[in-house]
């Protein structure tokens, strides 16, 4: 089944064309990597998928349903979640709270229910906490739940953002440079987490990443953007040897 | 209460609901604003309300105010002395603090925190920022209505003069001094700013200057206030869920859930 399809999607900011007529599709169970030089429009594409921007023209389909007009929080309900290139955790909330607040059972709790706090509500809260603990275990942060998110080392903050996105029970996970600033040890752990999410939790993953070795090791397919246009697409080695891609990264022969 | 001989116990929730409603009405357009501008609008609204009270003589008796507000009675006993009112206010304060605590230490409370810190992050996990800002505004106005009702029966007289701009500033100062984002801080700030002018009576001419100085110094050196948010209870969501250490060990790791909460 097709999870995601972009048809001729264009995003313009005034005269600047950030994304230009991009077609893209993602199948069930796929890990798709989005690469390209700086300023190629990768993050713009992410913001488009999550509803921060809407396309100037073209259509985004999620599970065959157009989602162009949906707000970010409505897309979350459909199962699209993301992490950010510049980490956006709530620094003065604990690790557990950061994950809890993404869980429907926690963030849709009404004022009335919290005021009266019946034993049923308490039971529901326990279940939500148990759920979130499980997500934290996937990324290996289940022993640090009392720490403030802002006090975690950089790599763990990135993992926590992934856990937070997972707590929304998403189907499609968008990771914006999850390995940025990580050392090789942390990268190895991240790769394991991503593989695990894809295999065990049946999440489709779209990942922006600059570390080519990492991209080649986890991605089923790679899409290359340059100046907002898709210049190549395919499995790893195919793309690596594509002359257009080499040109985009290294420039032309003299 | 004066015109319709309504019982205080009906007037109190009525005041809360009317205030909450106006909070909601004001909040709806104002939610588009941020930071300082939001503050200016709310202060401006306070002035507008005061001017309406001064000029809408049919309803409010204008600058003369509404005199002879009857005292509330509890089971046939009419509250008269200062200590009677003390206990009335105490009971309602304790109930309010209890309710607000419940509201804050909940999923709803976590949403509010998230929206305040980062709206884009909030939206990315399915929270509607405007909805929660509006709810916070409404709930705030609701409790202000309760305070207003208490003020009216305690003073037995209200006039537009009771609601001058200075009062808004005073209440804001209480919160800033005590610590934003903390119930204990607000109570502490209110206590200090109520008691301090009385203690400082011997230098009556300078006490406002002194208070102003204290507030400026607080802003500069301890912007979180005396009892700020950093002291908030952490991981309350699980704790209020009512499980103890090690009780929920089905997954093996839940036993490690324990708050470092300090209040």
């Amino acid at each position: 089944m097709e999870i995601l399809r972009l048809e001729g999607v264009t995003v313009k900011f005034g005269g600047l064309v950030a994304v230009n007529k991009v077609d893209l599709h993602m199948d069930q169970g796929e890990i798709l990597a989005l690469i390209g030089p700086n300023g190629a429009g990768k993050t713009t594409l992410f913001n488009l998928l999550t509803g921060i921007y809407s396309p100037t023209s073209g259509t985004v389909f999620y599970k065959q349903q157009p989602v162009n007009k949906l707000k970010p929080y409505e897309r979350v309900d459909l199962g699209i979640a993301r992490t950010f290139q510049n980490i956006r955790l709530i620094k003065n909330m604990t690790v557990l709270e950061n994950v809890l607040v993404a869980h429907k059972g926690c963030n849709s709790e009404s004022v009335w229910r919290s005021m009266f706090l019946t034993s049923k509500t308490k039971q529901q809260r326990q279940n939500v906490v148990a759920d979130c603990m499980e997500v934290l275990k996937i990324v290996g942060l289940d022993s640090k739940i009392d720490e403030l998110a802002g006090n975690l080392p950089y790599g763990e903050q990135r993992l926590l953002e992934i856990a937070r996105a997972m707590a929304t029970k998403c189907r499609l996970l968008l990771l914006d440079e999850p390995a940025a600033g990580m050392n090789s040890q942390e990268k190895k752990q991240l790769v394991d987490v991503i593989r695990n999410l894809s295999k065990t939790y049946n999440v489709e993953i779209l990942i922006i990443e600059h570390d080519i070795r990492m991209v080649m090791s986890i991605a089923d397919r790679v899409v290359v953007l340059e100046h907002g246009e898709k210049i190549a697409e395919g499995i790893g080695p195919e793309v690596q040897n594509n002359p257009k891609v080499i040109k985009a990264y290294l420039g032309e022969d003299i | 209460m004066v015109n319709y001989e309504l019982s205080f116990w009906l007037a109190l929730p009525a005041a809360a609901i009317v205030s909450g409603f106006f909070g909601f009405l004001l909040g709806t357009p104002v939610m588009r604003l941020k930071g300082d501008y939001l503050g200016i609008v709310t202060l401006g609204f306070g002035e507008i309300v005061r001017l309406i009270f001064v000029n809408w003589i049919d309803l409010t008796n204008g600058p003369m105010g509404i005199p002879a507000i009857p005292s509330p009675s509890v089971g046939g006993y009419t509250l008269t002395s200062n200590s009677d009112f003390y206990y009335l206010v105490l009971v309602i304060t304790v109930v309010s603090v209890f309710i607000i605590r419940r509201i804050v230490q909940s999923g709803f409370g976590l949403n509010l925190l998230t929206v305040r810190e980062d709206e884009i992050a909030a939206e990315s996990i399915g929270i509607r920022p405007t909805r929660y800002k509006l709810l916070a505004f409404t709930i705030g106005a609701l409790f202000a209505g309760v305070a207003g009702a208490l003020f009216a029966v305690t003073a037995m007289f209200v006039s537009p003069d009771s609601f001058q701009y200075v009062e808004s500033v005073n209440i804001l100062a209480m919160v800033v001094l005590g610590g934003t984002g903390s119930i204990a801080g607000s109570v502490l700030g209110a206590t200090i700013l109520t008691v301090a002018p009385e203690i400082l009576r011997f230098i009556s001419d300078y006490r406002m200057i002194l208070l102003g100085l204290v507030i400026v110094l607080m802003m500069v050196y301890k912007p979180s206030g005396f009892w700020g948010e950093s002291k908030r209870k952490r991981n309350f969501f699980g704790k209020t869920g009512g499980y103890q250490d090690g009780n929920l060990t089905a997954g093996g790791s839940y036993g490690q859930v324990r708050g470092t909460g300090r209040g």
Side-chain angles (χ1 to χ4, degrees):
Chain A
M1 195 181 77
E2 201 177 53
I3 292 296
L4 185 72
R5 186 154 49 95
L6 272 62
E7 279 182 4
V9 168
T10 301
V11 182
K12 287 184 189 165
F13 300 113
L16 179 80
V17 185
V19 174
N20 194 5
K21 290 181 201 138
V22 168
D23 298 311
L24 196 79
H25 74 96
M26 249 182 110
D27 295 324
Q28 193 168 4
E30 206 173 22
I31 299 180
L32 181 68
L34 196 57
I35 64 169
N38 288 326
K42 305 182 296 291
T43 297
T44 307
L45 200 69
F46 260 40
N47 288 337
L48 183 90
L49 292 175
T50 51
I52 294 175
Y53 306 143
S54 50
T56 316
S57 63
T59 315
V60 180
F61 294 92
Y62 173 71
K63 293 184 181 169
Q64 271 114 20
Q65 179 193 350
V67 294
N68 276 12
K69 294 216 169 72
L70 297 182
K71 299 264 185 216
Y73 46 81
E74 292 168 323
R75 298 191 194 205
V76 174
D77 290 341
L78 288 180
I80 305 178
R82 73 172 296 179
T83 66
F84 294 90
Q85 188 176 358
N86 46 342
I87 299 170
R88 281 178 175 271
L89 290 166
I90 310 302
K91 292 192 171 58
N92 48 12
M93 281 185 0
T94 64
V95 168
L96 179 61
E97 283 167 348
N98 264 286
V99 178
L100 278 169
V101 80
H103 194 290
K104 257 270 109 46
C106 174
N107 71 25
S108 65
E109 195 178 84
S110 73
V111 183
W112 292 118
R113 253 201 299 154
S114 58
M115 251 169 68
F116 293 111
L117 197 62
T118 58
S119 54
K120 192 174 152 228
T121 308
K122 286 182 186 172
Q123 185 59 46
Q124 279 169 344
R125 286 186 178 184
Q126 280 185 26
N127 294 341
V128 171
V129 172
D131 249 19
C132 292
M133 287 304 296
E134 207 158 296
V135 177
L136 279 167
K137 221 194 261 177
I138 303 172
V139 298
L141 286 174
D142 53 325
S143 58
K144 297 199 167 183
I145 55 170
D146 288 332
E147 280 199 49
L148 291 184
N151 295 343
L152 289 183
Y154 203 64
E156 291 185 345
Q157 290 195 16
R158 292 217 172 265
L159 288 172
L160 180 55
E161 257 207 333
I162 295 176
R164 181 174 72 176
M166 283 302 295
T168 64
K169 308 235 146 102
C170 62
R171 180 65 206 263
L172 172 62
L173 180 60
L174 311 174
L175 303 174
D176 197 346
E177 295 195 25
M182 281 188 171
N183 61 36
S184 61
Q185 186 60 36
E186 289 170 325
K187 275 183 189 172
K188 211 172 282 172
Q189 195 195 348
L190 177 69
V191 168
D192 288 342
V193 167
I194 293 174
R195 283 219 180 96
N196 190 13
L197 290 179
S198 172
K199 294 265 149 26
T200 319
Y201 295 86
N202 296 318
V203 182
E204 281 75 33
I205 296 169
L206 179 58
I207 178 174
I208 294 178
E209 187 47 63
H210 283 300
D211 184 334
I212 289 297
R213 203 177 307 159
M214 186 176 148
V215 165
M216 294 306 162
S217 77
I218 57 171
D220 298 315
R221 212 151 46 86
V222 180
V223 167
V224 190
L225 285 185
E226 197 207 1
H227 298 309
E229 285 175 42
K230 187 169 89 176
I231 57 168
E233 181 177 3
I235 56 165
E238 231 174 75
V239 168
Q240 260 179 316
N241 297 325
N242 185 317
K244 275 190 186 168
V245 177
I246 295 168
K247 190 184 137 197
Y249 275 94
L250 301 175
E252 257 173 308
D253 275 344
I254 307 163
Chain B
M1 278 174 80
V2 175
N3 287 338
Y4 301 101
E5 289 177 4
L6 199 65
S7 149
F8 170 73
W9 302 108
L10 279 174
L12 183 74
I17 290 167
V18 170
S19 306
F21 177 69
F22 276 101
F24 178 80
L25 276 191
L26 178 67
T28 311
V30 160
M31 279 310 120
R32 295 161 191 276
L33 303 175
K34 286 196 165 102
D36 302 353
Y37 303 101
L38 180 64
I40 290 167
V41 170
T42 51
L43 289 176
F45 182 74
E47 277 300 283
I48 291 170
V49 168
R50 189 178 68 82
L51 289 173
I52 290 176
F53 284 170
V54 169
N55 290 299
W56 193 354
I57 293 172
D58 292 345
L59 181 74
T60 63
N61 210 11
M64 317 285 284
I66 301 170
I69 295 171
S71 298
S73 58
V74 185
Y77 173 75
T78 306
L79 304 182
T80 45
S81 70
N82 270 345
S83 63
D84 288 346
F85 280 107
Y86 170 75
Y87 287 112
L88 174 73
V89 174
L90 183 69
V91 167
I92 292 180
T93 306
V94 168
V95 172
S96 303
V97 166
F98 179 78
I99 293 174
I100 294 172
R101 210 179 121 93
R102 278 273 173 92
I103 292 177
V104 170
Q105 297 191 353
S106 69
F108 176 79
L110 281 179
N111 288 356
L112 289 183
L113 261 177
T114 308
V115 169
R116 187 193 66 196
E117 294 297 319
D118 191 337
E119 284 185 34
I120 291 180
E123 283 196 310
S124 85
I125 52 175
I127 300 170
R128 301 164 177 237
T130 40
R131 180 179 170 179
Y132 285 94
K133 283 199 273 185
L134 194 54
L135 269 168
F137 217 73
T138 307
I139 293 172
L142 217 115
F143 281 101
V146 172
L150 279 179
F151 173 77
V153 293
T154 310
M156 297 166 89
F157 170 77
V158 283
S159 79
D161 272 349
S162 325
F163 304 103
Q164 292 203 357
Y165 172 69
V166 169
E167 289 307 316
S168 303
V169 174
N170 208 12
I171 290 170
L172 184 66
M174 288 174 183
V175 176
V176 170
L177 196 67
T180 48
S182 146
I183 300 171
S186 302
V187 174
L188 190 69
T191 310
I192 292 171
L193 281 191
T194 312
V195 173
E198 301 301 324
I199 294 174
L200 297 176
R201 194 150 274 194
F202 63 96
I203 45 163
S204 55
D205 291 343
Y206 304 104
R207 65 184 176 183
M208 290 317 280
I209 298 176
L210 200 67
L211 277 178
L213 188 69
V214 169
I215 289 168
V216 170
L217 287 177
M218 280 300 283
M219 293 277 221
V220 174
Y221 292 107
K222 201 167 183 346
S224 60
F226 285 122
W227 196 277
E229 203 190 337
S230 57
K231 290 192 170 60
R232 83 180 171 88
K233 187 174 174 183
R234 294 179 191 167
N235 278 354
F236 50 73
F237 195 79
K239 290 284 260 197
T240 44
Y243 61 75
Q244 305 294 314
D245 282 78
N247 249 0
L248 232 170
T249 44
S253 66
Y254 303 130
Q256 292 164 353
V257 180
R258 58 184 193 284
T260 51
R262 284 169 287 169

Coordinates of all heavy atoms in Angstrom, one line a residue, chain A residues 64 82 104 171 217:
Chain A
Q64 N -3.6 7.9 0.3 CA -4.5 8.2 -0.8 C -5.4 9.3 -0.6 O -6.3 9.6 -1.3 CB -5.3 7.0 -1.2 CG -4.6 6.1 -2.3 CD -4.2 4.8 -1.7 OE1 -4.8 4.3 -0.7 NE2 -3.3 4.1 -2.4
R82 N 6.9 14.0 13.6 CA 8.3 14.4 13.1 C 9.2 14.8 14.3 O 8.8 14.9 15.4 CB 8.1 15.7 12.3 CG 7.8 16.9 13.1 CD 7.8 18.2 12.3 NE 9.2 18.4 11.8 CZ 9.5 19.5 11.1 NH1 8.6 20.3 10.8 NH2 10.7 19.7 10.7
K104 N -1.9 10.7 23.1 CA -3.3 11.2 23.1 C -4.0 11.1 24.4 O -4.8 11.9 24.8 CB -4.1 10.3 22.1 CG -4.4 11.0 20.7 CD -5.6 11.8 20.5 CE -5.5 13.2 20.4 NZ -4.8 14.1 19.7
R171 N 2.2 6.7 12.2 CA 2.4 5.7 11.2 C 3.6 6.1 10.3 O 4.4 5.2 9.9 CB 1.2 5.5 10.4 CG 1.2 4.5 9.3 CD 1.4 3.1 9.9 NE 2.0 2.2 9.0 CZ 1.4 1.4 8.2 NH1 0.1 1.3 8.3 NH2 2.0 0.6 7.4
S217 N 23.3 2.6 4.8 CA 23.1 1.4 5.6 C 21.7 1.2 6.0 O 21.2 0.1 6.2 CB 24.0 1.4 6.8 OG 23.5 2.2 7.8

